Amino acid sequence: MTGQQRSRSGHRTVAHTADLRVEAWAPTAEGCIREAVRAAVGGFADTTGARPAGERACTVTAATDEDLLVAVLEEVIYRMDADGELPLDTEVGAIRAAGAGRALPVRFRMADAGTAEVVGAVPKAVSLHELRLRAGPGGWSCQVTLDV
C-alpha cells in the first residue's frame, strides 16, 4: 500500500483461519478505529436492507490506543449479544487523556441485527494476538483479529 493510498480512509478483511481478520487505515487514530468497526461488521453482515433501531453512545477507556480499538470492537460485540443490534455507522470522537489512560467517545447508529443479512461467521470476541494500531508516514493503520 503506498503512502498516497494510506492517506485516505479504508478497510478490508483478510483471509485468516477460523477467525475474522480486519485491516483499516485513515489519517487519524480515531478514523482508523471507525474503519475497523466498518470492516468488522461488513465481514459478517450486509446492512443495506437493515432497519434502523436508534443510537447508542458510550465512552470507552483503556490504557493505550490499541486497547481503545479493542474496547470499541468489544462494545460492538456486546451490543449484538445483549441488544440484537449492530452499527450502521459509527462516529468516533477525539481520543483524550483520562487519568493514567485514554478515553474515546463513540456514537453508533444502530440497526436491528435481525434485519441484516448474515454473510459470515459472527464475531464472539476480540483477540489480542497480533493486535496493532500505529501511526506511520501516511497516516494510521490497524490490524485486529476477531474470534468467530
Side-chain angles (χ1 to χ4, degrees):
M1 188 174 319
T2 69
Q4 182 181 13
Q5 289 171 316
R6 282 207 172 168
S7 67
R8 295 176 289 189
S9 298
H11 61 266
R12 67 181 179 165
T13 57
V14 181
H16 197 273
T17 306
D19 292 318
L20 174 61
R21 180 92 172 146
V22 300
E23 296 178 353
W25 55 93
T28 64
E30 297 88 348
C32 197
I33 292 170
R34 179 178 187 237
E35 289 296 326
V37 171
R38 286 178 164 177
V41 172
F44 70 89
D46 177 356
T47 61
T48 55
R51 189 176 69 240
E55 291 190 0
R56 302 275 187 184
C58 65
T59 298
V60 297
T61 57
T64 67
D65 291 349
E66 285 180 334
D67 292 337
L68 289 174
L69 169 62
V70 170
V72 170
L73 291 170
E74 286 176 340
E75 182 71 16
V76 170
I77 292 168
Y78 171 77
R79 293 292 176 189
M80 286 187 303
D81 282 345
D83 302 321
E85 298 175 346
L86 56 98
L88 290 173
D89 196 17
T90 305
E91 291 179 28
V92 179
I95 296 172
R96 64 182 192 280
R102 316 280 278 153
L104 180 66
V106 182
R107 179 176 302 279
F108 300 105
R109 190 168 58 88
M110 304 301 279
D112 178 341
T115 64
E117 179 182 349
V118 177
V119 296
V122 178
K124 301 295 181 206
V126 181
S127 172
L128 301 180
H129 181 69
E130 296 181 356
L131 171 67
R132 184 173 65 83
L133 174 63
R134 293 189 190 133
W140 286 76
S141 64
C142 67
Q143 297 177 342
V144 63
T145 301
L146 303 170
D147 298 329
V148 297

